[in-house]
Amino acid sequence: MLDQLDTPPLVVLWRVMDTCNLACPFCAYDKRLAFPRSAASPAEVSRVIGLLAGLQQAEGRKVMLSWLGGEPTLWQDFGRMTDQAAKAGLAQSLTTNGTTLGSSSLRARLADQFDEVTLSVDAIGQRHEDLRGWRGGFTKLERWVPKLAEDALAKNSALRVRANVVLMHDTLGEFENLCAVLADWGVSQITFNQLGGRDRPEFFPQNRLTADDVTKLKRVLPGLRSRLKSRGVELLGGDPYIGRIADSAKNVALKIDDCQVARNFLFIDEKGNIAPCAFVEDYFGVTTADVQSVAQFSAIPGQLCAIQKRCPADACKNCMSTQQFSKFATEIELRV
């Protein structure tokens, strides 16, 4: 049996719904967009939780079930499924827009059951509210996020409060100040990614990072990392990740012929499609319904890697998956 301390966890990111309550002009799930919305089957999610628990026990490898949307906390079965995952011994994480953090019961659930919560915060004050279509939202986050951090501390919880920032041309200049604000809120890790163009191509051209923007980002990162570190906050992201952002800003494509992401990361959409990332969610023809045993689930990573190597998807001609790079590299990894 493998030692969990020496084996990378398997992260299973499940987009359980494509419904959201905000109106972000850069997001495919903007509430203003007219398309049929769907959600994962709670019965199927429940069944797969059982398989993941069995996989964790059989392989001696930590499994983290990461909830994604839309806004996953709006899913009517969120509480019941997270209770089941916690009882099954799975680690859990959540990516949220923060609109539901005013609920003390939700904050308690996160502090009790979760290892990590990632908040999407892109700018300061009114600018963030305009980008998200959430009047008064930043002021609410200023109250609610510190309460979440305080709740976790009071419970001696292992919960890590993380923030992710989408960097855009017009917001890059306040990234340093935003990081300082997030540190004030009790956030202990900060990640970032560049604005992508796949979801809303009409928004992308005027708001994408330029090559000059990335040069500025490279210049400020070392000092910013140091200042945040002195406050107990990690700013994640390694050199390969920054290099990929720079190449993207110059429209340099990166072809991936032998993707190994699925070894440690699986993406499942609300229909049950399983893939190495959201950019190829329905390409592989593998669904949760096809997986009826722990052994079958254990074989999925190798199966997906083999298919990708034999016949890469069109998206692999210019990989945009942050899992392919070092977005989540820590300070220790950055020094190695």
Side-chain angles (χ1 to χ4, degrees), residues 302-334:
Q303 180 182 354
L304 297 183
C305 290
I307 294 172
Q308 193 279 337
K309 185 175 182 178
R310 184 173 66 251
C311 186
D314 285 344
C316 300
K317 296 175 183 177
N318 184 21
C319 177
M320 300 303 293
S321 172
T322 57
Q323 297 296 332
Q324 191 69 242
F325 307 98
S326 55
K327 175 179 178 177
F328 301 100
T330 65
E331 180 69 22
I332 292 175
E333 293 166 329
L334 290 169

PDB file of all heavy atoms in Angstrom, residues 302-334:
ATOM      1  N   GLY A 302      -5.065   6.165 -16.216  1.00  0.00           N
ATOM      2  CA  GLY A 302      -4.262   5.555 -17.276  1.00  0.00           C
ATOM      3  C   GLY A 302      -5.009   5.481 -18.589  1.00  0.00           C
ATOM      4  O   GLY A 302      -4.433   5.682 -19.665  1.00  0.00           O
ATOM      5  N   GLN A 303      -6.307   5.210 -18.506  1.00  0.00           N
ATOM      6  CA  GLN A 303      -7.134   5.123 -19.706  1.00  0.00           C
ATOM      7  C   GLN A 303      -7.186   6.477 -20.421  1.00  0.00           C
ATOM      8  O   GLN A 303      -7.004   6.548 -21.651  1.00  0.00           O
ATOM      9  CB  GLN A 303      -8.544   4.684 -19.303  1.00  0.00           C
ATOM     10  CG  GLN A 303      -9.523   4.546 -20.448  1.00  0.00           C
ATOM     11  CD  GLN A 303     -10.915   4.145 -19.960  1.00  0.00           C
ATOM     12  OE1 GLN A 303     -11.115   3.862 -18.772  1.00  0.00           O
ATOM     13  NE2 GLN A 303     -11.864   4.120 -20.859  1.00  0.00           N
ATOM     14  N   LEU A 304      -7.385   7.558 -19.670  1.00  0.00           N
ATOM     15  CA  LEU A 304      -7.470   8.883 -20.280  1.00  0.00           C
ATOM     16  C   LEU A 304      -6.129   9.309 -20.870  1.00  0.00           C
ATOM     17  O   LEU A 304      -6.076   9.877 -21.967  1.00  0.00           O
ATOM     18  CB  LEU A 304      -7.933   9.909 -19.243  1.00  0.00           C
ATOM     19  CG  LEU A 304      -9.337   9.722 -18.650  1.00  0.00           C
ATOM     20  CD1 LEU A 304      -9.669  10.852 -17.687  1.00  0.00           C
ATOM     21  CD2 LEU A 304     -10.396   9.630 -19.749  1.00  0.00           C
ATOM     22  N   CYS A 305      -5.054   9.025 -20.151  1.00  0.00           N
ATOM     23  CA  CYS A 305      -3.724   9.383 -20.653  1.00  0.00           C
ATOM     24  C   CYS A 305      -3.419   8.652 -21.956  1.00  0.00           C
ATOM     25  O   CYS A 305      -2.846   9.234 -22.888  1.00  0.00           O
ATOM     26  CB  CYS A 305      -2.664   9.069 -19.605  1.00  0.00           C
ATOM     27  SG  CYS A 305      -2.692  10.146 -18.146  1.00  0.00           S
ATOM     28  N   ALA A 306      -3.804   7.388 -22.023  1.00  0.00           N
ATOM     29  CA  ALA A 306      -3.538   6.596 -23.231  1.00  0.00           C
ATOM     30  C   ALA A 306      -4.331   7.127 -24.422  1.00  0.00           C
ATOM     31  O   ALA A 306      -3.810   7.228 -25.536  1.00  0.00           O
ATOM     32  CB  ALA A 306      -3.879   5.131 -22.971  1.00  0.00           C
ATOM     33  N   ILE A 307      -5.597   7.479 -24.199  1.00  0.00           N
ATOM     34  CA  ILE A 307      -6.430   8.018 -25.283  1.00  0.00           C
ATOM     35  C   ILE A 307      -5.852   9.333 -25.781  1.00  0.00           C
ATOM     36  O   ILE A 307      -5.753   9.582 -26.989  1.00  0.00           O
ATOM     37  CB  ILE A 307      -7.882   8.207 -24.809  1.00  0.00           C
ATOM     38  CG1 ILE A 307      -8.535   6.856 -24.511  1.00  0.00           C
ATOM     39  CG2 ILE A 307      -8.692   8.976 -25.859  1.00  0.00           C
ATOM     40  CD1 ILE A 307      -9.901   6.961 -23.866  1.00  0.00           C
ATOM     41  N   GLN A 308      -5.461  10.207 -24.840  1.00  0.00           N
ATOM     42  CA  GLN A 308      -4.928  11.514 -25.226  1.00  0.00           C
ATOM     43  C   GLN A 308      -3.641  11.367 -26.037  1.00  0.00           C
ATOM     44  O   GLN A 308      -3.431  12.087 -27.024  1.00  0.00           O
ATOM     45  CB  GLN A 308      -4.682  12.365 -23.974  1.00  0.00           C
ATOM     46  CG  GLN A 308      -4.427  13.851 -24.256  1.00  0.00           C
ATOM     47  CD  GLN A 308      -2.999  14.144 -24.676  1.00  0.00           C
ATOM     48  OE1 GLN A 308      -2.078  13.378 -24.388  1.00  0.00           O
ATOM     49  NE2 GLN A 308      -2.817  15.272 -25.367  1.00  0.00           N
ATOM     50  N   LYS A 309      -2.778  10.428 -25.635  1.00  0.00           N
ATOM     51  CA  LYS A 309      -1.519  10.234 -26.351  1.00  0.00           C
ATOM     52  C   LYS A 309      -1.764   9.666 -27.744  1.00  0.00           C
ATOM     53  O   LYS A 309      -1.106  10.065 -28.718  1.00  0.00           O
ATOM     54  CB  LYS A 309      -0.605   9.304 -25.554  1.00  0.00           C
ATOM     55  CG  LYS A 309       0.772   9.140 -26.165  1.00  0.00           C
ATOM     56  CD  LYS A 309       1.672   8.305 -25.278  1.00  0.00           C
ATOM     57  CE  LYS A 309       3.070   8.197 -25.877  1.00  0.00           C
ATOM     58  NZ  LYS A 309       3.980   7.415 -24.995  1.00  0.00           N
ATOM     59  N   ARG A 310      -2.728   8.773 -27.841  1.00  0.00           N
ATOM     60  CA  ARG A 310      -3.021   8.130 -29.125  1.00  0.00           C
ATOM     61  C   ARG A 310      -3.744   9.066 -30.075  1.00  0.00           C
ATOM     62  O   ARG A 310      -3.466   9.080 -31.291  1.00  0.00           O
ATOM     63  CB  ARG A 310      -3.872   6.883 -28.875  1.00  0.00           C
ATOM     64  CG  ARG A 310      -4.166   6.074 -30.129  1.00  0.00           C
ATOM     65  CD  ARG A 310      -4.852   4.778 -29.797  1.00  0.00           C
ATOM     66  NE  ARG A 310      -6.188   4.956 -29.251  1.00  0.00           N
ATOM     67  CZ  ARG A 310      -6.529   4.731 -27.985  1.00  0.00           C
ATOM     68  NH1 ARG A 310      -5.631   4.289 -27.121  1.00  0.00           N
ATOM     69  NH2 ARG A 310      -7.773   4.923 -27.566  1.00  0.00           N
ATOM     70  N   CYS A 311      -4.629   9.877 -29.537  1.00  0.00           N
ATOM     71  CA  CYS A 311      -5.453  10.741 -30.399  1.00  0.00           C
ATOM     72  C   CYS A 311      -5.807  12.018 -29.643  1.00  0.00           C
ATOM     73  O   CYS A 311      -6.903  12.135 -29.084  1.00  0.00           O
ATOM     74  CB  CYS A 311      -6.716   9.989 -30.817  1.00  0.00           C
ATOM     75  SG  CYS A 311      -7.732  10.861 -32.020  1.00  0.00           S
ATOM     76  N   PRO A 312      -4.891  12.992 -29.577  1.00  0.00           N
ATOM     77  CA  PRO A 312      -5.140  14.216 -28.809  1.00  0.00           C
ATOM     78  C   PRO A 312      -6.343  14.993 -29.331  1.00  0.00           C
ATOM     79  O   PRO A 312      -6.621  15.007 -30.528  1.00  0.00           O
ATOM     80  CB  PRO A 312      -3.849  15.022 -28.997  1.00  0.00           C
ATOM     81  CG  PRO A 312      -2.822  14.025 -29.412  1.00  0.00           C
ATOM     82  CD  PRO A 312      -3.566  12.988 -30.203  1.00  0.00           C
ATOM     83  N   ALA A 313      -7.047  15.621 -28.417  1.00  0.00           N
ATOM     84  CA  ALA A 313      -8.169  16.481 -28.778  1.00  0.00           C
ATOM     85  C   ALA A 313      -7.648  17.752 -29.444  1.00  0.00           C
ATOM     86  O   ALA A 313      -6.475  18.117 -29.295  1.00  0.00           O
ATOM     87  CB  ALA A 313      -8.977  16.835 -27.533  1.00  0.00           C
ATOM     88  N   ASP A 314      -8.515  18.440 -30.165  1.00  0.00           N
ATOM     89  CA  ASP A 314      -8.107  19.694 -30.811  1.00  0.00           C
ATOM     90  C   ASP A 314      -7.593  20.698 -29.781  1.00  0.00           C
ATOM     91  O   ASP A 314      -6.660  21.462 -30.059  1.00  0.00           O
ATOM     92  CB  ASP A 314      -9.288  20.295 -31.578  1.00  0.00           C
ATOM     93  CG  ASP A 314      -9.579  19.555 -32.876  1.00  0.00           C
ATOM     94  OD1 ASP A 314      -8.701  18.792 -33.337  1.00  0.00           O
ATOM     95  OD2 ASP A 314     -10.687  19.737 -33.421  1.00  0.00           O
ATOM     96  N   ALA A 315      -8.207  20.698 -28.586  1.00  0.00           N
ATOM     97  CA  ALA A 315      -7.794  21.640 -27.541  1.00  0.00           C
ATOM     98  C   ALA A 315      -6.356  21.406 -27.108  1.00  0.00           C
ATOM     99  O   ALA A 315      -5.692  22.323 -26.597  1.00  0.00           O
ATOM    100  CB  ALA A 315      -8.724  21.537 -26.334  1.00  0.00           C
ATOM    101  N   CYS A 316      -5.850  20.198 -27.315  1.00  0.00           N
ATOM    102  CA  CYS A 316      -4.475  19.863 -26.922  1.00  0.00           C
ATOM    103  C   CYS A 316      -3.446  20.504 -27.853  1.00  0.00           C
ATOM    104  O   CYS A 316      -2.248  20.497 -27.557  1.00  0.00           O
ATOM    105  CB  CYS A 316      -4.275  18.353 -26.890  1.00  0.00           C
ATOM    106  SG  CYS A 316      -5.355  17.489 -25.728  1.00  0.00           S
ATOM    107  N   LYS A 317      -3.897  21.050 -28.981  1.00  0.00           N
ATOM    108  CA  LYS A 317      -2.986  21.740 -29.884  1.00  0.00           C
ATOM    109  C   LYS A 317      -2.546  23.077 -29.307  1.00  0.00           C
ATOM    110  O   LYS A 317      -1.539  23.643 -29.727  1.00  0.00           O
ATOM    111  CB  LYS A 317      -3.655  21.962 -31.242  1.00  0.00           C
ATOM    112  CG  LYS A 317      -3.982  20.670 -31.984  1.00  0.00           C
ATOM    113  CD  LYS A 317      -4.743  20.949 -33.262  1.00  0.00           C
ATOM    114  CE  LYS A 317      -5.132  19.646 -33.969  1.00  0.00           C
ATOM    115  NZ  LYS A 317      -5.939  19.900 -35.189  1.00  0.00           N
ATOM    116  N   ASN A 318      -3.322  23.586 -28.355  1.00  0.00           N
ATOM    117  CA  ASN A 318      -2.944  24.814 -27.642  1.00  0.00           C
ATOM    118  C   ASN A 318      -3.505  24.700 -26.225  1.00  0.00           C
ATOM    119  O   ASN A 318      -4.572  25.217 -25.918  1.00  0.00           O
ATOM    120  CB  ASN A 318      -3.483  26.059 -28.340  1.00  0.00           C
ATOM    121  CG  ASN A 318      -3.011  27.338 -27.665  1.00  0.00           C
ATOM    122  OD1 ASN A 318      -2.014  27.345 -26.949  1.00  0.00           O
ATOM    123  ND2 ASN A 318      -3.738  28.423 -27.887  1.00  0.00           N
ATOM    124  N   CYS A 319      -2.775  23.998 -25.383  1.00  0.00           N
ATOM    125  CA  CYS A 319      -3.273  23.661 -24.040  1.00  0.00           C
ATOM    126  C   CYS A 319      -3.444  24.914 -23.192  1.00  0.00           C
ATOM    127  O   CYS A 319      -2.529  25.730 -23.060  1.00  0.00           O
ATOM    128  CB  CYS A 319      -2.305  22.699 -23.364  1.00  0.00           C
ATOM    129  SG  CYS A 319      -2.788  22.294 -21.672  1.00  0.00           S
ATOM    130  N   MET A 320      -4.634  25.037 -22.602  1.00  0.00           N
ATOM    131  CA  MET A 320      -4.925  26.161 -21.712  1.00  0.00           C
ATOM    132  C   MET A 320      -5.203  25.710 -20.287  1.00  0.00           C
ATOM    133  O   MET A 320      -5.614  26.509 -19.447  1.00  0.00           O
ATOM    134  CB  MET A 320      -6.141  26.937 -22.254  1.00  0.00           C
ATOM    135  CG  MET A 320      -5.963  27.517 -23.637  1.00  0.00           C
ATOM    136  SD  MET A 320      -4.524  28.620 -23.769  1.00  0.00           S
ATOM    137  CE  MET A 320      -5.064  29.959 -22.710  1.00  0.00           C
ATOM    138  N   SER A 321      -4.976  24.446 -19.998  1.00  0.00           N
ATOM    139  CA  SER A 321      -5.256  23.927 -18.664  1.00  0.00           C
ATOM    140  C   SER A 321      -4.174  24.346 -17.677  1.00  0.00           C
ATOM    141  O   SER A 321      -2.997  24.053 -17.873  1.00  0.00           O
ATOM    142  CB  SER A 321      -5.344  22.398 -18.701  1.00  0.00           C
ATOM    143  OG  SER A 321      -5.426  21.878 -17.390  1.00  0.00           O
ATOM    144  N   THR A 322      -4.562  25.010 -16.599  1.00  0.00           N
ATOM    145  CA  THR A 322      -3.582  25.419 -15.589  1.00  0.00           C
ATOM    146  C   THR A 322      -3.015  24.210 -14.855  1.00  0.00           C
ATOM    147  O   THR A 322      -1.945  24.292 -14.246  1.00  0.00           O
ATOM    148  CB  THR A 322      -4.213  26.376 -14.565  1.00  0.00           C
ATOM    149  OG1 THR A 322      -5.348  25.750 -13.947  1.00  0.00           O
ATOM    150  CG2 THR A 322      -4.674  27.661 -15.238  1.00  0.00           C
ATOM    151  N   GLN A 323      -3.709  23.070 -14.914  1.00  0.00           N
ATOM    152  CA  GLN A 323      -3.194  21.866 -14.274  1.00  0.00           C
ATOM    153  C   GLN A 323      -1.937  21.339 -14.975  1.00  0.00           C
ATOM    154  O   GLN A 323      -1.172  20.569 -14.399  1.00  0.00           O
ATOM    155  CB  GLN A 323      -4.269  20.770 -14.268  1.00  0.00           C
ATOM    156  CG  GLN A 323      -5.503  21.114 -13.466  1.00  0.00           C
ATOM    157  CD  GLN A 323      -5.232  21.278 -11.986  1.00  0.00           C
ATOM    158  OE1 GLN A 323      -4.312  20.680 -11.451  1.00  0.00           O
ATOM    159  NE2 GLN A 323      -6.037  22.070 -11.321  1.00  0.00           N
ATOM    160  N   GLN A 324      -1.719  21.768 -16.202  1.00  0.00           N
ATOM    161  CA  GLN A 324      -0.570  21.295 -16.974  1.00  0.00           C
ATOM    162  C   GLN A 324       0.722  21.975 -16.509  1.00  0.00           C
ATOM    163  O   GLN A 324       1.816  21.492 -16.789  1.00  0.00           O
ATOM    164  CB  GLN A 324      -0.802  21.591 -18.459  1.00  0.00           C
ATOM    165  CG  GLN A 324       0.155  20.959 -19.420  1.00  0.00           C
ATOM    166  CD  GLN A 324      -0.007  19.450 -19.494  1.00  0.00           C
ATOM    167  OE1 GLN A 324       0.912  18.716 -19.179  1.00  0.00           O
ATOM    168  NE2 GLN A 324      -1.187  18.997 -19.917  1.00  0.00           N
ATOM    169  N   PHE A 325       0.574  23.077 -15.778  1.00  0.00           N
ATOM    170  CA  PHE A 325       1.734  23.872 -15.410  1.00  0.00           C
ATOM    171  C   PHE A 325       1.850  23.951 -13.882  1.00  0.00           C
ATOM    172  O   PHE A 325       1.358  23.093 -13.183  1.00  0.00           O
ATOM    173  CB  PHE A 325       1.631  25.245 -16.072  1.00  0.00           C
ATOM    174  CG  PHE A 325       1.412  25.142 -17.553  1.00  0.00           C
ATOM    175  CD1 PHE A 325       0.143  25.248 -18.083  1.00  0.00           C
ATOM    176  CD2 PHE A 325       2.464  24.876 -18.403  1.00  0.00           C
ATOM    177  CE1 PHE A 325      -0.073  25.112 -19.447  1.00  0.00           C
ATOM    178  CE2 PHE A 325       2.269  24.737 -19.769  1.00  0.00           C
ATOM    179  CZ  PHE A 325       0.997  24.859 -20.291  1.00  0.00           C
ATOM    180  N   SER A 326       2.489  24.980 -13.378  1.00  0.00           N
ATOM    181  CA  SER A 326       2.781  25.046 -11.943  1.00  0.00           C
ATOM    182  C   SER A 326       1.997  26.167 -11.266  1.00  0.00           C
ATOM    183  O   SER A 326       2.539  26.911 -10.452  1.00  0.00           O
ATOM    184  CB  SER A 326       4.288  25.249 -11.727  1.00  0.00           C
ATOM    185  OG  SER A 326       4.746  26.397 -12.433  1.00  0.00           O
ATOM    186  N   LYS A 327       0.715  26.267 -11.582  1.00  0.00           N
ATOM    187  CA  LYS A 327      -0.103  27.310 -10.970  1.00  0.00           C
ATOM    188  C   LYS A 327      -0.105  27.196  -9.461  1.00  0.00           C
ATOM    189  O   LYS A 327      -0.160  28.202  -8.750  1.00  0.00           O
ATOM    190  CB  LYS A 327      -1.549  27.225 -11.496  1.00  0.00           C
ATOM    191  CG  LYS A 327      -2.483  28.217 -10.806  1.00  0.00           C
ATOM    192  CD  LYS A 327      -3.907  28.157 -11.338  1.00  0.00           C
ATOM    193  CE  LYS A 327      -4.800  29.131 -10.580  1.00  0.00           C
ATOM    194  NZ  LYS A 327      -6.186  29.164 -11.094  1.00  0.00           N
ATOM    195  N   PHE A 328      -0.047  25.983  -8.940  1.00  0.00           N
ATOM    196  CA  PHE A 328      -0.181  25.780  -7.507  1.00  0.00           C
ATOM    197  C   PHE A 328       1.154  25.496  -6.827  1.00  0.00           C
ATOM    198  O   PHE A 328       1.191  24.943  -5.730  1.00  0.00           O
ATOM    199  CB  PHE A 328      -1.177  24.651  -7.232  1.00  0.00           C
ATOM    200  CG  PHE A 328      -2.540  24.938  -7.811  1.00  0.00           C
ATOM    201  CD1 PHE A 328      -2.934  24.357  -9.013  1.00  0.00           C
ATOM    202  CD2 PHE A 328      -3.409  25.804  -7.189  1.00  0.00           C
ATOM    203  CE1 PHE A 328      -4.182  24.627  -9.552  1.00  0.00           C
ATOM    204  CE2 PHE A 328      -4.650  26.086  -7.725  1.00  0.00           C
ATOM    205  CZ  PHE A 328      -5.041  25.494  -8.908  1.00  0.00           C
ATOM    206  N   ALA A 329       2.258  25.869  -7.468  1.00  0.00           N
ATOM    207  CA  ALA A 329       3.576  25.673  -6.869  1.00  0.00           C
ATOM    208  C   ALA A 329       3.707  26.536  -5.613  1.00  0.00           C
ATOM    209  O   ALA A 329       3.359  27.717  -5.602  1.00  0.00           O
ATOM    210  CB  ALA A 329       4.675  26.036  -7.846  1.00  0.00           C
ATOM    211  N   THR A 330       4.226  25.945  -4.542  1.00  0.00           N
ATOM    212  CA  THR A 330       4.406  26.647  -3.272  1.00  0.00           C
ATOM    213  C   THR A 330       5.778  27.294  -3.218  1.00  0.00           C
ATOM    214  O   THR A 330       6.622  27.098  -4.092  1.00  0.00           O
ATOM    215  CB  THR A 330       4.264  25.687  -2.093  1.00  0.00           C
ATOM    216  OG1 THR A 330       5.341  24.731  -2.145  1.00  0.00           O
ATOM    217  CG2 THR A 330       2.935  24.945  -2.145  1.00  0.00           C
ATOM    218  N   GLU A 331       6.020  28.026  -2.141  1.00  0.00           N
ATOM    219  CA  GLU A 331       7.313  28.701  -1.959  1.00  0.00           C
ATOM    220  C   GLU A 331       8.466  27.705  -1.989  1.00  0.00           C
ATOM    221  O   GLU A 331       9.494  27.935  -2.603  1.00  0.00           O
ATOM    222  CB  GLU A 331       7.307  29.455  -0.627  1.00  0.00           C
ATOM    223  CG  GLU A 331       8.616  30.194  -0.319  1.00  0.00           C
ATOM    224  CD  GLU A 331       8.861  31.372  -1.220  1.00  0.00           C
ATOM    225  OE1 GLU A 331       7.894  31.892  -1.799  1.00  0.00           O
ATOM    226  OE2 GLU A 331      10.020  31.779  -1.338  1.00  0.00           O
ATOM    227  N   ILE A 332       8.279  26.563  -1.339  1.00  0.00           N
ATOM    228  CA  ILE A 332       9.336  25.541  -1.309  1.00  0.00           C
ATOM    229  C   ILE A 332       9.609  25.033  -2.722  1.00  0.00           C
ATOM    230  O   ILE A 332      10.759  24.912  -3.143  1.00  0.00           O
ATOM    231  CB  ILE A 332       8.932  24.369  -0.395  1.00  0.00           C
ATOM    232  CG1 ILE A 332       8.884  24.842   1.070  1.00  0.00           C
ATOM    233  CG2 ILE A 332       9.912  23.219  -0.549  1.00  0.00           C
ATOM    234  CD1 ILE A 332       8.381  23.800   2.029  1.00  0.00           C
ATOM    235  N   GLU A 333       8.544  24.768  -3.469  1.00  0.00           N
ATOM    236  CA  GLU A 333       8.703  24.261  -4.836  1.00  0.00           C
ATOM    237  C   GLU A 333       9.334  25.302  -5.743  1.00  0.00           C
ATOM    238  O   GLU A 333      10.086  24.977  -6.661  1.00  0.00           O
ATOM    239  CB  GLU A 333       7.341  23.820  -5.380  1.00  0.00           C
ATOM    240  CG  GLU A 333       6.779  22.600  -4.657  1.00  0.00           C
ATOM    241  CD  GLU A 333       5.317  22.374  -4.946  1.00  0.00           C
ATOM    242  OE1 GLU A 333       4.582  23.347  -5.176  1.00  0.00           O
ATOM    243  OE2 GLU A 333       4.904  21.208  -4.927  1.00  0.00           O
ATOM    244  N   LEU A 334       9.048  26.580  -5.487  1.00  0.00           N
ATOM    245  CA  LEU A 334       9.617  27.639  -6.298  1.00  0.00           C
ATOM    246  C   LEU A 334      11.126  27.731  -6.126  1.00  0.00           C
ATOM    247  O   LEU A 334      11.852  28.117  -7.038  1.00  0.00           O
ATOM    248  CB  LEU A 334       8.984  28.989  -5.938  1.00  0.00           C
ATOM    249  CG  LEU A 334       7.523  29.191  -6.349  1.00  0.00           C
ATOM    250  CD1 LEU A 334       6.972  30.432  -5.696  1.00  0.00           C
ATOM    251  CD2 LEU A 334       7.412  29.297  -7.856  1.00  0.00           C
TER     252      LEU A 334
END
